[in-house]
Amino acid sequence: MQETGGQPTGTVWPVILIDDDQWLTVCESDRDVQLAVEPDFLDDIVAAFDGPARLLRLLDTQDEVTFEVSGPPQPEELRRRVQEYFDCWTREAAPAFQEDTRQYIASVAALARSADAKRKKGKPTR
């Protein structure tokens, strides 16, 4: 995990985005953020966290999504939102919460990439 090159905020990757449907998206770079979030739909993202679980504010600057650190680490909010995602959208158990948020986010990112997703929120596929 490294400090960002494109973002002047000292953001630590990966970044986790949570949308209004509780869907979790892991972004490893500025490019991933641009692919995951369209400026016109910025309001769909209800929470964003960087590696140390700091809250991020997403901004539309010249038709590009940027972000800045907007608050101190919120590990409990991150844990709650991760749990909601895994409960609602996957057949996997959420990773165990760890005090080291960078390790926790790394485990969330790894599991989110490989998790068996449900077709509809809360509804298993058959």
Side-chain angles (χ1 to χ4, degrees):
M1 288 169 271
Q2 59 200 23
E3 297 286 330
T4 180
Q7 298 290 343
T9 61
T11 304
V12 179
W13 299 97
V15 166
I16 293 181
L17 307 176
I18 310 290
D19 74 10
D20 54 1
D21 286 327
Q22 299 162 326
W23 186 261
L24 180 148
T25 302
V26 177
C27 298
E28 300 281 349
S29 67
D30 285 328
R31 178 168 164 69
D32 288 350
V33 172
Q34 301 312 309
L35 292 171
V37 183
E38 294 181 40
D40 291 343
F41 297 99
L42 214 55
D43 292 341
D44 291 351
I45 304 300
V46 296
F49 303 89
D50 74 349
R54 295 178 297 187
L55 290 172
L56 302 175
R57 179 175 321 139
L58 278 71
L59 308 163
D60 176 6
T61 51
Q62 300 172 351
D63 293 325
E64 182 175 273
V65 176
T66 60
F67 46 88
E68 63 188 16
V69 175
S70 67
Q74 298 291 322
E76 278 303 310
E77 182 178 352
L78 171 64
R79 184 206 57 75
R80 180 181 58 78
R81 290 187 181 273
V82 165
Q83 186 68 51
E84 288 173 349
Y85 165 73
F86 280 92
D87 288 348
C88 292
W89 289 108
T90 78
R91 292 185 188 82
E92 312 290 337
F97 184 72
Q98 300 172 26
E99 290 298 318
D100 182 335
T101 56
R102 290 182 191 204
Q103 284 184 330
Y104 176 64
I105 286 180
S107 66
V108 169
L111 187 56
R113 281 187 215 100
S114 65
D116 186 18
K118 298 174 186 175
R119 272 196 246 161
K120 290 190 172 193
K121 183 172 149 182
K123 307 278 188 215
T125 56
R126 294 180 192 230

